[in-house]
Amino acid sequence: MAETKDVFGQEPHPVEDDLYKEPTRKRRKSDRDQRFRAFPSMEQSALKEYEKLESRTRRVLSNTYQKLIQSVFLDDSIPNGVKYLINRLLALIEKPTVDPIYIGLFGSTGAGKSSLINAIIQQAMFLPVSGESICTSCIVQVSSGCCVEYEAKIHLLSDQEWREELKNLTKLLHRTEELGREEADAWNRDEAVEEATWKLQMIYGNGAESKNYEELLRAKPKRKIPASRVITLKAEEAEELSIKLDPYIRTQRRDWDGEAAEMRIWPLIKHVEVTLPKSNLIPEGVVLVDIPGTGDFNSKRDEMWKKTIDKCSVIWVISDIERVSGGRAHEDLLNESIKACQRGFCRDVALVVTKMDKLHLPEYLRERKVGNQAIQSQREAVLERNEMIKLQRTRILKEKLKRKLPADFKVLEASDLVYTVSAQEYWQQALLTEEETEIPKLREYIRKRLLDKKRRTVTKYVTEAFGLLLLTDSFNSTQNLPNEHLHMSVLRRFAEEKVELLEKAIAQCFACMEQPLQEGVRTARTSYRCILRTCLVRSKGNQGFHQTLKAVCLKNGIYASRTLARIDLNEALTQPIYDQIDPVFGSIFRTGKPTGSALMPHIDAFKHSLQEKMTEIGIRSGWKYDSCKKNFLIQEISAILGGLEDHILRRKRRIYESLTASVQSDLKLCYEEAAQIAGKKACERMKDAIRRGVDRQVAEGMFERAQERMQHQFQQLKTGIVEKVKGSITTMLALASSQGDGLYKELADVGSEYKEMEKLHRSLREVAENARLRKGMQEFLLRASPSKAGPPGTSL
């Protein structure tokens, strides 16, 4: 039986539950061992050490927090410095252990995304697969967790979201006059009409497509919709959950006549979250996301499609061997993935070529142009072809990335940009060994990615916690030092001067966008008619395109379906501008050595200059006898400026998309006018309305306004950064002032917590050294181990 839970209910983070109630040592060790079972023993050891460091740090912070709360509990007013400290401690205590790593599998219909996930998680038919048609009908997230059962949460559109889609679907199907036979046939063949009809029939039954919006609002769905808008499925075995889940996420054929209630709900499904019990193959903290290639007609689902792509730190573009060498769909997927590097959190893009076992040997031998060595078997041909594909596609992908991304973008240095995999051979091993299918290689990539993130996160966490304990312990020990106010004034003036220089540096970074924006606008003005003509012309003329074009207008220039390539007129019109700005935009938001256009290195340089000045003043002023103050200032400035990166990343997406958002806003009335057109030759009249509207807006400065809006977004980001830096540094320097400022009071003794935190901070270096030694040992053993032969039966 399916259970329902509140879609808005948020489970508390497991760490928060244990802040003040420590579980038994045996239980914690058992849980930790289970969490890391997906890792080899050497990597498990490193993870356990980092986990132990983080756990002990949280315990120290929690004890410190409780002591501070108790010391000020009865006070009428709490000094500002104590408030700051308590809030910072609480924020660190509640900070998530490690944000999940989202790995997006991004591919078109039949590319093999679901098959690949099934192979990675070692469950052959867990997600529905089919080589002939669309299988997965929505975004599906797969992760492992602490649950004892297999679990799936099916999130449905809210009532308001479905009403919005229902209104657009009925508008799409509304005909104001009788059509002739030829026109009626063309109408019925229109892809958008077929899609809308299918959705309404699935929810309300046959005949729903002929009803209007008000009638359907009163109609009763054929399947009861839970009020919570969440359906929860649970099972003890993977196969059992797969059977329960299949009808919800598998797209049914349009000629299907079944009556299963579950199969009639898929048009309402927003996304699905699947959680596996602790896995030997996929570590907790990694989320594999099956992302359909084109988005969705529903606004909320389409918004989620884009946001899901943008939150992925890794994107694997999935393409089968028969479609990887060309085609618009494959290029669109690559372009969307590269844009995710520009606007989102993505730092790694790779091409995963699937179904690599497919090869017709006689045809391959006839067309073979490489190597002098004779091919003796199907296996040899597959391996040779796979290596050739890997070399060719790596070169092509790297060239494409270089055109769009900064030269020092980390993905360009990746050793593996292309993977050649075969899910079928992973299970059968008739031609290839398990290693040659490259499924284990993808799992290894996932583990290394999580291990590296855990190392960086825990190092940052322990270092930040140490800085706070330095300050806390100094509250009860800081003494007034000679000329301290004078030295703090010097430091304050120095910081103000550096903030001014930082503001100028940021302005120079953003000024680098002006020339490519202007060039892009000029190109857009001269090429927009050609672009529009390409978007509005179909190989079969207007046949089957009338209502699809209406759907484009109803959604303000965007139409996404399950079978057609995504249509986005706004993006197409602004593409010439993006072609000009992409390399510079990527350079601004990259990390690396300070340059005229890179933002973060200037912030890092600002941080280091302040830290050096603090050290210099500390030595002159006598802080060598009060090292807590100096160390606190140095640590806290890192924490303050480190938090800016998240703020910048969140704003980056809004800035990047401001061009298309601006054009879409300017063309809104044009789209609304075109959407109202009906009757004879409506398709041509809609196209004319769109052309006239775009011409009018371009003449009135549409592209120039888009440029101004992007530049305004950059200006807002600069202002936000400077204000955050000024405010944070002012607070920090006030905290570092002497007790005479009235910011402090005598607090509970936290000396023991400080000493323990000092030990933890020192142990970071030891843990890192142990990890390096284990890695070296592992690499040595791999080099020393003999290579594996092919699968049984493949030798001659």
Side-chain angles (χ1 to χ4, degrees):
M1 290 291 292
E3 301 172 1
T4 60
K5 292 185 179 179
D6 185 1
V7 68
F8 301 110
Q10 296 292 325
E11 295 292 332
H13 195 280
V15 173
E16 294 177 10
D17 292 340
D18 296 332
L19 285 181
Y20 307 111
K21 186 177 70 174
E22 185 177 335
T24 63
R25 187 175 301 275
K26 183 176 180 181
R27 175 68 178 273
R28 293 210 331 269
K29 184 176 187 299
S30 172
D31 288 346
R32 190 163 60 238
D33 291 345
Q34 289 291 313
R35 286 182 61 196
F36 302 141
R37 60 194 292 186
F39 291 86
S41 58
M42 290 185 182
E43 293 177 358
Q44 281 190 30
S45 299
L47 281 165
K48 288 174 185 176
E49 287 181 338
Y50 281 119
E51 187 87 352
K52 186 177 178 181
L53 262 178
E54 183 189 356
S55 176
R56 289 174 61 187
T57 299
R58 282 189 192 276
R59 188 168 63 244
V60 171
L61 291 173
S62 177
N63 292 341
T64 306
Y65 177 77
Q66 290 183 61
K67 283 187 175 182
L68 292 188
I69 289 293
Q70 290 170 4
S71 68
V72 299
F73 183 72
L74 298 177
D75 290 3
D76 293 331
S77 62
I78 303 174
N80 291 335
V82 179
K83 284 181 183 177
Y84 176 88
L85 182 60
I86 288 175
N87 289 332
R88 290 281 281 113
L89 282 168
L90 186 59
L92 265 185
I93 291 168
E94 295 180 340
K95 194 172 186 178
T97 305
V98 175
D99 291 330
I101 295 176
Y102 288 89
I103 299 178
L105 283 77
F106 192 35
S108 53
T109 302
K113 302 186 297 295
S114 298
S115 297
L116 181 56
I117 290 178
N118 289 341
I120 290 173
I121 67 175
Q122 194 77 13
Q123 299 290 345
M125 299 296 291
F126 188 72
L127 297 180
V129 296
S130 169
E132 300 176 358
S133 60
I134 306 170
C135 269
T136 310
S137 62
C138 60
I139 293 171
V140 180
Q141 299 182 3
V142 180
S143 61
S144 67
C146 57
C147 54
V148 295
E149 293 182 300
Y150 292 85
E151 182 178 294
K153 287 189 176 183
I154 301 158
H155 297 263
L156 307 181
L157 294 171
S158 69
D159 185 61
Q160 181 180 352
E161 290 163 356
W162 173 243
R163 282 170 181 257
E164 179 195 340
E165 179 165 11
L166 188 61
K167 187 176 291 185
N168 284 323
L169 292 174
T170 52
K171 283 182 181 178
L172 206 56
L173 294 174
H174 179 62
R175 293 190 288 196
T176 57
E177 72 292 314
E178 290 296 321
L179 300 178
R181 182 175 180 180
E182 186 175 333
E183 290 174 316
D185 288 343
W187 173 288
N188 292 329
R189 285 194 299 270
D190 190 291
E191 200 276 344
V193 170
E194 288 184 357
E195 181 93 358
T197 301
W198 189 26
K199 284 183 175 181
L200 293 181
Q201 288 177 348
M202 290 296 287
I203 300 297
Y204 299 106
N206 292 333
E209 70 278 10
S210 62
K211 297 180 180 179
N212 61 34
Y213 174 65
E214 287 74 19
E215 289 173 327
L216 289 175
L217 281 181
R218 295 191 296 269
K220 186 178 180 180
K222 294 182 72 66
R223 203 263 199 217
K224 186 177 180 180
I225 312 301
S228 66
R229 299 300 194 183
V230 178
I231 299 172
T232 301
L233 307 174
K234 292 184 180 181
E236 293 184 359
E237 300 295 334
E239 185 178 358
E240 182 186 354
L241 182 68
S242 179
I243 293 170
K244 290 181 179 182
L245 182 62
D246 187 284
Y248 289 99
I249 63 175
R250 182 189 290 273
T251 300
Q252 303 301 324
R253 297 195 313 272
R254 300 184 187 189
D255 59 354
W256 182 80
D257 295 323
E259 289 294 334
E262 296 88 346
M263 296 182 180
R264 293 197 173 273
I265 206 172
W266 72 258
L268 296 176
I269 296 175
K270 189 187 297 185
H271 71 286
V272 175
E273 295 176 326
V274 179
T275 306
L276 315 175
K278 292 183 177 68
S279 170
N280 288 326
L281 300 169
I282 299 300
E284 186 179 343
V286 172
V287 183
L288 300 175
V289 191
D290 186 337
I291 307 176
T294 59
D296 197 274
F297 180 66
N298 176 270
S299 298
K300 277 295 175 185
R301 275 197 296 255
D302 198 60
E303 181 185 349
M304 175 168 286
W305 177 77
K306 272 206 167 185
K307 285 186 175 179
T308 300
I309 294 172
D310 287 347
K311 75 179 179 182
C312 291
S313 56
V314 178
I315 291 180
W316 292 340
V317 179
I318 313 297
S319 184
D320 70 59
I321 182 60
E322 294 176 346
R323 289 186 279 187
V324 72
S325 297
R328 178 183 168 185
H330 176 69
E331 288 301 309
D332 287 347
L333 292 170
L334 279 177
N335 289 333
E336 191 66 38
S337 302
I338 294 171
K339 284 181 179 178
C341 291
Q342 296 280 30
R343 70 179 181 235
F345 291 88
C346 184
R347 289 292 177 270
D348 203 350
V349 174
L351 174 63
V352 179
V353 188
T354 59
K355 307 177 185 178
M356 294 302 292
D357 55 290
K358 284 188 175 182
L359 183 142
H360 186 245
L361 186 58
E363 182 180 334
Y364 177 75
L365 292 175
R366 186 178 66 249
E367 297 179 355
R368 182 172 177 256
K369 298 177 182 178
V370 295
N372 298 320
Q373 186 176 354
I375 293 293
Q376 301 295 325
S377 67
Q378 181 91 0
R379 167 182 160 77
E380 289 182 3
V382 167
L383 289 174
E384 181 184 79
R385 190 275 315 272
N386 291 0
E387 188 61 30
M388 181 178 64
I389 287 289
K390 183 172 288 193
L391 292 171
Q392 289 176 348
R393 302 314 300 183
T394 296
R395 176 178 53 80
I396 293 170
L397 179 56
K398 188 166 285 190
E399 289 174 356
K400 192 176 187 70
L401 291 169
K402 282 180 178 178
R403 289 197 300 270
K404 295 285 186 178
L405 300 174
D408 61 351
F409 206 82
K410 286 187 178 180
V411 69
L412 295 172
E413 302 170 3
S415 57
D416 291 301
L417 277 175
V418 178
Y419 297 87
T420 51
V421 306
S422 171
Q424 182 170 316
E425 274 298 299
Y426 175 77
W427 300 111
Q428 297 178 354
Q429 295 185 32
L431 289 173
L432 306 175
T433 65
E434 182 176 303
E435 286 76 14
E436 287 165 345
T437 67
E438 297 206 348
I439 300 296
K441 195 172 185 179
L442 292 175
R443 289 183 187 140
E444 182 185 10
Y445 171 88
I446 292 170
R447 292 196 306 268
K448 285 184 175 178
R449 186 90 185 189
L450 185 63
L451 180 60
D452 181 61
K453 185 169 185 177
K454 184 72 172 179
R455 175 187 59 78
R456 287 184 285 107
T457 303
V458 172
T459 299
K460 183 179 178 182
Y461 187 77
V462 173
T463 302
E464 192 171 345
F466 180 51
L468 280 180
L469 265 294
L470 282 169
L471 176 64
T472 309
D473 188 57
S474 70
F475 269 27
N476 293 330
S477 60
T478 302
Q479 300 295 324
N480 289 321
L481 298 172
N483 300 319
E484 181 172 359
H485 283 288
L486 176 61
H487 292 303
M488 292 303 296
S489 296
V490 170
L491 184 55
R492 189 173 289 108
R493 285 196 300 273
F494 178 83
E496 289 170 355
E497 292 171 2
K498 286 297 179 180
V499 168
E500 289 179 5
L501 291 175
L502 176 63
E503 186 172 7
K504 291 178 182 177
I506 295 173
Q508 289 173 355
C509 288
F510 296 165
C512 295
M513 288 291 296
E514 187 170 349
Q515 183 177 349
L517 272 171
Q518 290 173 349
E519 292 175 358
V521 166
R522 283 196 293 269
T523 306
R525 287 184 65 89
T526 58
S527 61
Y528 78 90
R529 286 195 177 96
C530 180
I531 293 169
L532 205 56
R533 186 165 54 250
T534 302
C535 292
L536 296 179
V537 170
R538 288 292 175 270
S539 58
K540 297 181 180 180
N542 294 335
Q543 185 178 0
F545 187 56
H546 174 198
Q547 293 305 97
T548 297
L549 184 57
K550 185 171 184 177
V552 171
C553 296
L554 284 171
K555 305 302 293 184
N556 290 322
I558 301 172
Y559 178 66
S561 76
R562 301 172 190 279
T563 54
L564 291 179
R566 183 180 178 88
I567 300 172
D568 191 334
L569 297 184
N570 313 300
E571 192 172 276
L573 289 169
T574 52
Q575 191 56 49
I577 307 178
Y578 283 113
D579 288 341
Q580 292 291 332
I581 70 169
D582 273 350
V584 180
F585 190 92
S587 295
I588 288 174
F589 292 101
R590 73 178 178 213
T591 56
K593 295 179 180 179
T595 65
S597 61
L599 175 60
M600 287 310 299
H602 283 295
I603 293 175
D604 289 337
F606 170 74
K607 176 185 73 175
H608 294 313
S609 67
L610 278 184
Q611 290 175 333
E612 288 173 2
K613 191 66 174 180
M614 290 168 184
T615 302
E616 175 194 329
I617 292 177
I619 293 172
R620 290 208 318 262
S621 67
W623 285 358
K624 61 184 176 180
Y625 302 112
D626 184 13
S627 61
C628 290
K629 180 172 294 185
K630 180 192 72 176
N631 291 335
F632 160 72
L633 287 170
I634 291 174
Q635 298 288 358
E636 193 67 0
I637 194 64
S638 295
I640 289 169
L641 297 179
L644 274 178
E645 188 170 1
D646 290 336
H647 170 74
I648 291 168
L649 284 174
R650 285 193 297 271
R651 292 299 302 269
K652 182 175 76 165
R653 182 187 182 206
R654 189 185 305 173
I655 295 172
Y656 190 78
E657 293 183 338
S658 62
L659 294 175
T660 51
S662 175
V663 167
Q664 185 180 49
S665 175
D666 285 353
L667 293 177
K668 191 174 189 300
L669 292 177
C670 162
Y671 292 137
E672 289 175 354
E673 177 190 342
Q676 299 300 319
I677 294 174
K680 292 184 178 181
K681 298 184 178 179
C683 194
E684 276 305 319
R685 288 161 53 209
M686 289 168 67
K687 291 179 181 179
D688 288 341
I690 293 172
R691 292 188 191 103
R692 288 195 306 271
V694 174
D695 281 339
R696 184 169 59 251
Q697 289 298 323
V698 170
E700 293 175 359
M702 179 177 74
F703 294 123
E704 288 78 7
R705 284 193 297 274
Q707 175 186 346
E708 290 170 3
R709 286 165 181 165
M710 176 173 271
Q711 289 175 321
H712 178 66
Q713 291 277 354
F714 273 114
Q715 178 63 34
Q716 285 185 321
L717 177 58
K718 185 195 78 170
T719 302
I721 291 172
V722 172
E723 287 179 353
K724 283 179 179 292
V725 169
K726 281 182 178 178
S728 298
I729 290 180
T730 298
T731 302
M732 181 195 68
L733 293 178
L735 284 168
S737 298
S738 67
Q739 292 174 330
D741 291 338
L743 290 172
Y744 302 142
K745 62 162 283 176
E746 187 173 347
L747 297 173
D749 182 15
V750 293
S752 60
E753 284 78 11
Y754 167 71
K755 288 179 181 178
E756 185 175 356
M757 196 66 242
E758 190 176 30
K759 291 178 183 177
L760 293 173
H761 188 251
R762 283 201 305 266
S763 65
L764 273 176
R765 183 178 297 177
E766 181 182 343
V767 172
E769 182 62 29
N770 289 343
R772 282 193 293 270
L773 290 173
R774 292 190 192 98
K775 184 178 180 181
M777 187 183 302
Q778 187 177 36
E779 291 173 349
F780 171 78
L781 292 173
L782 286 173
R783 288 194 301 269
S785 63
S787 59
K788 294 189 177 181
T794 58
S795 59
L796 293 175

